Each structure stands twice: as C-alpha cells, then as structure tokens.
Amino acid sequence: MFTKKHFKLTKIAAQVSAVAVAALFGTQAYAAGAVSVTSSWTGSDNSLDGGSTAITATGIGNQNGYTDNPALNNSAWGHAGTWFVFENTLGGSDVSVSVNGAAGFVPGVTVWATDGAFDGGTTGFGGEVPSGTVFSGTPHVFNGTGAQGDAGTLWMQDGQGGNVLETLGYAVSNPAINVASAAWGESVLAGAHDVSVSNTFESGVTGITSASSATLDFDNLAAGWYAVYVGGTDSLSAGGGYDLVVSAVPEAETWAMLLAGLGLIGWRLRSQSREVESGMIPAA
C-alpha cells in the first residue's frame, strides 16, 4: 500500500524524468517527418543506376507553393508543394532534374544533398520565426533557396532538425520573380542558380527555365541521396499537373566513344559494300 510519502517520492521521480526527457529532446533528439515525401515515382523506381538512367514522377502543383505568396513574404510553403527523394548510384555522371508542367503551372524547384533518404525534418525546430508572414515557423514557411544553415533551413539540416547536407541549386520559371529579401532574408530570383558552397556533391550547377518548365543540370553528381521540392511560383496562374524527370547525361568521353564506335561500324559497312560492288567478296 502506498503511503503519502511513497506517492510524493513517485511524483518527484516522474517530474525529474519528464525534465530529463524534455532536455534530451530539446538539445539532441528530434522527431522527423514534418513534411511528407511522395512515392509517386513511375514503377516505384527512384534510383539512377545501370538499369534506369532516367526516372520519372508526377505531381500536381498549386499556384505559389514555392514563392510569390504575399502571406509568406515570398518564401516557400512546405506543405503546399511536393517533396521527392531519389538515389544516384552512378557516381560522377552528369544529372539533369527537370520539371515540365501543364500550361497553368509555373514551377520552381530546389535540389538538396541529404544523408540518406530525406527524413522530412522537424516542425518549428530551434524556434525559427520568419518575418512578415501570418505563419509562425518552419516548415509551413521555409527557406527554399538559401544555403543550408541559413535562417529557415535548420528544421531540415543534418545534425539539427533533419538530415539535409547542402543546398545545391534552384530554378524559378516565373520571369517576374525578383525577391531581394523574403521571410528568412533569402533571395528568390527567376532563372537557374547554383547555391552550393562546396564541390563535395557536384562540380557545377547550371540550368534553363521557360514558361512552364524548370531544369537544373549537375556536373559530376556524386553517388548518394537527394531531395527535390517542387511548387508553383505565380499567384496569378491556375496551377496544374507536372512531370518530374531525373536523368543521367552521358559524359563527353562517353559520347566520343559512342560516335567513334558508330563511325567504325559505318566505315566497315561502306567497305563491305564496295567489296561486294567490285566482286571482291571476302572469304567466309
């Protein structure tokens, strides 16, 4: 039978345990899964490898999940866009990430390198608070264009609220976008941009945009996992469906070898044709 003394000691122990757990979660541990990662890859294949050098997925984008939303001071809207992950096992290959939308969808896209498959990050990690928005924290409003470690990215950063290692690049297809300082102080500009801070994962980022498409090209993309966020960039648009295509591009040396091989085959066929026409059919 518990006495009042026993009950008091038990209550104190429970309080101490609660404080210890709170301290643990406040300084080291976190609960990932703040945003959901889609599994809409065609054939459930999200790996670039020898058997699949091009993988595809589909999505439906709203008008301004990526930028151009005044309620978010033009920052990204983590729950309004779509999150994808893919694995590149073809280390050193050039890789292209393209979003091709319907006429009503004006896309924006960012690609990050991650430590394993993206875990979804942590809601409101570190008390990150944006400026000039009606929402209080990440990832409802997050920094989709800044370098990893900048304000608005800690919720998804490796060792902080998630497992993202580095922001590699972003592309915005709306030519009217020219934001100098969004909710987290980040720039959001039309066109394709390299925002990587090292050559750990690629040796260069370029790209191209048009009215309803945005493409990022990565030179020598390292083997590993990558996260992709896609959303709309035009509040005046209707939104709509899109295709995401991630493809490995053969190296220049590979193209040279292929062309050389085709040239050799062509030369051999022409030689055989001349031999047949001259009656000099080679012995079997």
Side-chain angles (χ1 to χ4, degrees):
M1 180 175 179
F2 282 103
T3 64
K4 290 184 177 179
K5 182 177 180 181
H6 286 138
F7 177 79
K8 185 176 182 181
L9 290 174
T10 302
K11 184 177 181 181
I12 291 173
Q15 291 174 339
V16 171
S17 298
V19 171
V21 170
L24 173 62
F25 278 84
T27 58
Q28 295 180 9
Y30 59 85
V35 295
S36 299
V37 176
T38 185
S39 58
S40 63
W41 293 92
T42 301
S44 299
D45 185 1
N46 67 341
S47 179
L48 290 177
D49 51 41
S52 300
T53 56
I55 53 177
T56 61
T58 58
I60 297 177
N62 76 341
Q63 301 96 321
N64 51 19
Y66 192 94
T67 191
D68 202 37
N69 187 337
L72 275 65
N73 196 7
N74 297 302
S75 283
W77 187 354
H79 301 297
T82 307
W83 295 86
F84 301 87
V85 299
F86 72 91
E87 184 181 17
N88 177 32
T89 67
L90 304 173
S93 295
D94 295 343
V95 172
S96 175
V97 177
S98 296
V99 180
N100 304 298
F105 183 57
V106 186
V109 58
T110 300
V111 177
W112 296 266
T114 59
D115 183 10
F118 178 46
D119 62 13
T122 300
T123 299
F125 182 86
E128 292 185 287
V129 179
S131 63
T133 79
V134 298
F135 302 108
S136 60
T138 52
H140 196 111
V141 51
F142 77 99
N143 183 345
T145 61
Q148 199 57 41
D150 287 353
T153 70
L154 297 183
W155 70 279
M156 60 191 301
Q157 182 171 331
D158 190 47
Q160 301 291 322
N163 67 339
V164 171
L165 299 170
E166 185 173 331
T167 315
L168 301 185
Y170 77 90
V172 172
S173 59
N174 183 354
I177 295 300
N178 184 21
V179 179
S181 181
W184 304 97
E186 76 274 28
S187 297
V188 187
L189 306 174
H193 305 274
D194 182 350
V195 292
S196 61
V197 295
S198 73
N199 291 324
T200 302
F201 304 101
E202 38 69 33
S203 58
V205 182
T206 57
I208 188 171
T209 60
S210 66
S212 57
S213 68
T215 298
L216 289 169
D217 296 314
F218 301 92
D219 296 338
N220 303 311
L221 190 68
W225 284 92
Y226 297 88
V228 180
Y229 178 75
V230 179
T233 67
D234 188 350
S235 293
L236 299 178
S237 68
Y242 62 85
D243 294 322
L244 171 66
V245 181
V246 180
S247 56
V249 182
E251 300 283 350
E253 294 81 359
T254 303
W255 280 114
M257 291 177 63
L258 177 61
L259 291 174
L262 291 174
L264 181 60
I265 293 172
W267 173 83
R268 182 57 180 165
L269 290 175
R270 287 194 300 273
S271 297
Q272 289 181 347
S273 178
R274 293 193 190 100
E275 290 171 351
V276 171
E277 289 175 359
S278 64
M280 298 175 60
I281 301 176

